[in-house]
């Protein structure tokens, strides 16, 4: 089994060969994930959530779905930034969700691998906002899964997500934007904002992503 010391942010940020490999990695890593990333300040999550909070109906009755929730780092950062509403989470990995549950920040947690043609275990029209702050990249979440995410939004609800900029992820982003454009053309969603944000790294090694905000029509 791999040890905690063998995991670094750069290693785990590389694109896995398959979803099965990714799930196995997270199972092994769940217990030390937060500790190993302690020095990584979550700038990608923070910058995306800063944008999200400009659009969210931020009150105690507001309901958010944190997609690819993992150990709950995104949900915790969102709460630390002052979000007043409730958060549900969904992730494919049971060990990561156990850690997220222990933080007591989620109203409900769902375990499911998110696919483009499989409905979520959630009633349509449930959420005011759906966030994906790190899952939309190659061999993580399929691009067309955003169609399923839109379904669980209330009319007027906000979908916000990011995806890394770089040659390794270029084709993935092209496919992601191609499908989003289809949904816009079909008048399912409308684009509110696109912004380049820092995703990680420091100095000359900074990593960037695009963050998109869509509103369900």
């Amino acid at each position: 089994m791999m040890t905690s010391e063998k995991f670094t942010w750069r290693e785990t940020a590389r694109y896995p060969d398959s979803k099965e490999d990714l799930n196995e990695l997270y199972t092994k890593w769940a217990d030390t994930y937060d500790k190993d990333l302690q020095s990584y300040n979550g700038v990608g999550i923070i910058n995306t959530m800063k944008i999200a909070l400009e659009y969210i109906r931020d009150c105690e009755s507001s309901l958010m779905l944190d997609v690819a929730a993992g150990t709950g780092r995104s949900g915790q950062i969102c709460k630390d930034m002052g979000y007043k509403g409730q958060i549900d989470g969904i992730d494919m990995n049971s060990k990561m969700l156990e850690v997220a549950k222990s933080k007591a920040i989620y109203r409900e947690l769902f375990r499911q691998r998110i696919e483009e043609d499989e409905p979520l275990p959630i009633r349509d029209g449930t959420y005011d906002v759906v966030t994906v702050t790190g899952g939309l990249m190659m061999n993580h979440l399929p691009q067309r899964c955003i169609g399923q995410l839109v379904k669980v939004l209330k009319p007027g609800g906000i979908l916000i997500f990011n995806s890394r900029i770089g040659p390794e992820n270029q084709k993935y982003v092209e496919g992601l934007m191609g499908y989003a454009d289809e949904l816009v053309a079909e008048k399912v969603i409308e684009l509110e904002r696109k912004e380049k944000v820092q995703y990680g790294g420091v100095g000359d090694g900074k990593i960037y992503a695009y963050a998109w905000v869509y509103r369900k029509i």
Side-chain angles (χ1 to χ4, degrees):
M1 179 178 292
M2 296 181 181
T3 64
S4 171
E5 289 74 19
K6 290 184 181 178
F7 287 105
T8 69
W9 170 244
R10 287 184 180 276
E11 288 170 333
T12 54
R14 291 175 186 158
Y15 307 107
D17 292 333
S18 69
K19 294 176 184 177
E20 290 72 23
D21 286 349
L22 181 67
N23 195 42
E24 181 181 355
L25 182 150
Y26 282 142
T27 296
K28 292 176 179 178
W29 196 22
D31 289 340
T32 61
Y33 182 86
D34 288 345
K35 180 181 177 182
D36 289 347
L37 292 187
Q38 201 167 27
S39 62
Y40 173 71
N41 62 8
V43 65
I45 299 172
I46 292 169
N47 287 336
T48 303
M49 283 301 180
K50 280 180 181 177
I51 296 170
L53 288 170
E54 295 180 29
Y55 293 87
I56 292 172
R57 185 177 63 87
D58 189 12
C59 59
E60 290 182 0
S61 63
S62 181
L63 189 55
M64 173 189 294
L65 179 64
D66 178 13
V67 177
T71 62
R73 293 183 80 240
S74 181
Q76 185 66 67
I77 287 173
C78 188
K79 281 293 189 181
D80 291 345
M81 292 177 70
Y83 175 65
K84 301 180 184 70
Q86 301 177 83
I87 308 177
D88 290 348
I90 186 167
D91 197 273
M92 69 175 177
N93 188 271
S94 58
K95 288 284 288 182
M96 299 288 270
L97 287 175
E98 287 175 13
V99 178
K101 184 177 181 179
S102 72
K103 296 178 179 178
I105 57 174
Y106 290 96
R107 185 190 72 155
E108 192 165 359
L109 290 166
F110 304 95
R111 179 179 174 269
Q112 180 174 309
R113 176 180 286 176
I114 298 172
E115 301 290 357
E116 62 183 61
D117 56 357
E118 186 173 347
L120 303 184
I122 298 163
R123 189 180 72 248
D124 288 356
T126 294
Y127 295 101
D128 297 288
V129 59
V130 173
T131 64
V132 196
T133 60
L136 283 165
M137 64 181 74
M138 187 173 64
N139 284 334
H140 286 65
L141 299 178
Q143 297 106 313
R144 298 178 75 89
C145 79
I146 62 173
Q148 299 298 336
L149 306 185
V150 171
K151 288 180 181 179
V152 300
L153 275 173
K154 298 174 182 177
I158 291 295
L159 170 65
I160 180 162
F161 56 84
N162 60 27
S163 194
R164 287 178 57 166
I165 299 170
E168 304 91 343
N169 206 41
Q170 183 175 343
K171 287 186 178 180
Y172 180 93
V173 170
E174 289 172 357
L176 178 64
M177 288 298 91
Y179 183 56
D181 288 346
E182 288 180 29
L183 295 177
V184 170
E186 294 167 4
K187 299 189 183 305
V188 176
I189 56 175
E190 58 186 3
L191 178 64
E192 293 279 342
R193 184 169 173 179
K194 176 184 176 181
E195 185 171 325
K196 184 178 178 180
V197 297
Q198 186 181 348
Y199 188 83
V202 295
D204 294 337
K206 286 180 181 176
I207 302 166
Y208 291 91
Y210 286 119
W212 293 268
V213 180
Y214 288 91
R215 188 180 300 275
K216 183 176 180 179
I217 298 173

